Structure formats: structure tokens, C-alpha cells
Amino acid sequence: MQIVLKVNHNSNRPKIPYIVDTGYKKRGCYVRNLNYPKFEKRILEIIKQVCRIYANRTMLEETYKKVKDRSIDLITSVKKQIETIEIKITEINKNLDSLYNDKLNDILTDIDFTRISAKFVAEREKLTKEKSELMDRFQNLQGQRTIKNKNDEKQMNKTITEFLEMQEIDKSSLFRLIDKIEIDKDKNVFISFNFAPLNTINENMDEFIEVEKILNNKNVI
């Protein structure tokens, strides 16, 4: 996704830089223009919140374990859905082979073969698309499941600590934390981090915040 900054010239107000997706037509996407200062502010708010929660993860250990286990259950569920679709596609292929043999043996007319096979082919295309989407989701979930080794965990802790201590955020620190940022047609922003625990927190933010509020209230009392 190619993004450039442009300036709003349509008013006498101070010029505001916008993020503009210049290649949306070529990719068949929706046009997405975003106010850059607001976009940047929101991204930094989310990153700081996720990192702050992770830095206090000892308080939220049980919640983290629960949502992590739930993510593992989700991986298993998605895998089963893929296997079910593969079985259905295999069955459709067998039915198409059988139909073709019936056509060759004059058991089935050309008109009936075309009519019935078209339904099977349409269903197979639908299932193939669903499988592709599930495969993407499965790979994404697996990629976020664990930290590769202790060195990765050590590097993550160091990166997060340095980020939270910064007075001014620099680009290199963000690149170490963020894998990618996606924007949908409704201008919702989705951040994918380079470290699995941060993705787990980000995807279950509301739950972590609720637990944190409860713990903070107990500490006040």
C-alpha cells in the first residue's frame, strides 16, 4: 500500500497533512484519506497502552494466560474448519468425476450434466475461497502464538522498556515494535506487532483494561 502525504488546500484553516492511498483504484480498494496528526496520535496511544499493560504483566498474569489459552483454542477451531472444508471439496470432486462418467456413458444428458455440475463448481469455488481466508487466519494466529526463544523475549522486554522511557518517539523504535498497520474501508486501524504477547494484549484490550481497573481500585482501598 503506497501512502503519501498531501496538504488540505480547501480551506483557510492551517494546512493539515493527510495520508492518501494513491493506488486504491488499481487494487480495487476503497479510497482512504486520513488526517495524519490524528492518525499518528491514535497509533501512539494504542502502542503505549499495549506496552504499558505488558510492562505490568505480573499484575495481569492470569488474564494473559486465559486469553493466550483462548487463542490456542481458536487455532484448533480454525484448523478443524479447514479440515472440514477440505473434506467437502474432495467430495465435490468425486461427484464431478461421477457426473462426467455418467455423461460419457450416456446416463446423463449434456444439459443435465452442465446444470448439475455448475452447482458443484460454484459450491467448490465458494469453499475454496473460505479455505483460503481460513488459511490466512490460521497462519496469522500461529505466527502470533509464541515467542521463538528467550533471546526474542529479552529483546522484546528491552525494546518495550526503551519505548516507554522515551520522551520523544523515534521511527526506529516503532519499526522494532510494529510489523504492519492495516486500514479497512471504514478507516478502522489494526496494528500488528512484531512480538506475540503484544498482539495478544492488543486483541483482548478491553479485558485487560477491566482487570487493570479492578486491581487499581483494590490498591487504592
Side-chain angles (χ1 to χ4, degrees), residues 2-221:
Q2 183 182 2
I3 299 178
V4 297
L5 294 180
K6 78 170 185 178
V7 178
N8 183 3
H9 298 287
N10 296 325
S11 71
N12 294 323
R13 297 177 181 177
K15 295 179 180 179
I16 301 173
Y18 275 77
I19 297 176
V20 180
D21 182 358
T22 57
Y24 72 95
K25 288 184 179 179
K26 185 184 295 183
R27 294 189 302 276
C29 301
Y30 294 86
V31 60
R32 286 163 288 191
N33 297 335
L34 297 174
N35 180 304
Y36 181 75
K38 289 183 179 179
F39 174 79
E40 182 183 71
K41 182 180 178 182
R42 180 56 182 155
I43 292 297
L44 290 176
E45 285 174 352
I46 294 172
I47 297 170
K48 286 179 180 178
Q49 190 171 33
V50 170
C51 289
R52 177 180 53 77
I53 289 174
Y54 178 80
N56 295 319
R57 64 193 181 282
T58 51
M59 289 194 308
L60 305 168
E61 187 173 345
E62 287 303 314
T63 304
Y64 181 81
K65 182 179 182 301
K66 184 170 65 174
V67 296
K68 184 177 179 183
D69 290 344
R70 195 162 63 219
S71 295
I72 294 174
D73 290 341
L74 184 57
I75 290 175
T76 302
S77 173
V78 171
K79 185 178 180 181
K80 287 182 178 178
Q81 291 179 60
I82 293 171
E83 291 171 350
T84 299
I85 287 178
E86 287 175 341
I87 292 171
K88 290 181 179 179
I89 290 175
T90 299
E91 189 63 30
I92 287 174
N93 288 334
K94 287 181 180 178
N95 287 332
L96 285 170
D97 290 342
S98 178
L99 281 173
Y100 185 70
N101 287 328
D102 287 345
K103 176 178 176 294
L104 291 178
N105 294 321
D106 293 327
I107 298 174
L108 200 65
T109 65
D110 289 346
I111 294 175
D112 285 337
F113 172 78
T114 301
R115 177 178 56 82
I116 299 172
S117 63
K119 293 181 180 179
F120 280 124
V121 170
E123 180 64 18
R124 184 176 61 186
E125 289 176 351
K126 178 183 175 184
L127 290 170
T128 300
K129 182 180 179 182
E130 289 178 8
K131 179 186 172 183
S132 177
E133 292 172 351
L134 285 169
M135 287 293 294
D136 289 342
R137 189 179 185 194
F138 179 76
Q139 291 172 1
N140 186 47
L141 288 169
Q142 275 199 317
Q144 297 176 5
R145 183 173 175 178
T146 57
I147 304 174
K148 293 179 182 177
N149 52 52
K150 287 294 181 182
N151 289 332
D152 286 349
E153 184 174 4
K154 184 178 179 181
Q155 179 60 46
M156 175 182 65
N157 291 336
K158 180 182 177 183
T159 302
I160 290 172
T161 300
E162 290 176 350
F163 175 79
L164 290 174
E165 290 176 349
M166 286 180 179
Q167 296 298 321
E168 293 186 9
I169 307 301
D170 59 45
K171 289 183 179 179
S172 61
S173 66
L174 292 177
F175 290 151
R176 289 195 295 271
L177 284 169
I178 299 175
D179 174 37
K180 60 183 177 181
I181 299 174
E182 297 178 308
I183 308 168
D184 67 13
K185 64 182 180 65
D186 297 317
K187 298 185 180 180
N188 295 311
V189 178
F190 303 93
I191 302 175
S192 178
F193 291 89
N194 284 319
F195 303 106
L198 300 187
N199 284 316
T200 300
I201 292 171
N202 192 33
E203 292 164 4
N204 300 275
M205 182 70 77
D206 291 343
E207 190 165 352
F208 279 100
I209 290 174
E210 285 303 313
V211 173
E212 191 177 35
K213 284 180 180 177
I214 293 172
L215 290 173
N216 286 338
N217 287 336
K218 285 184 179 179
N219 291 336
V220 171
I221 293 172

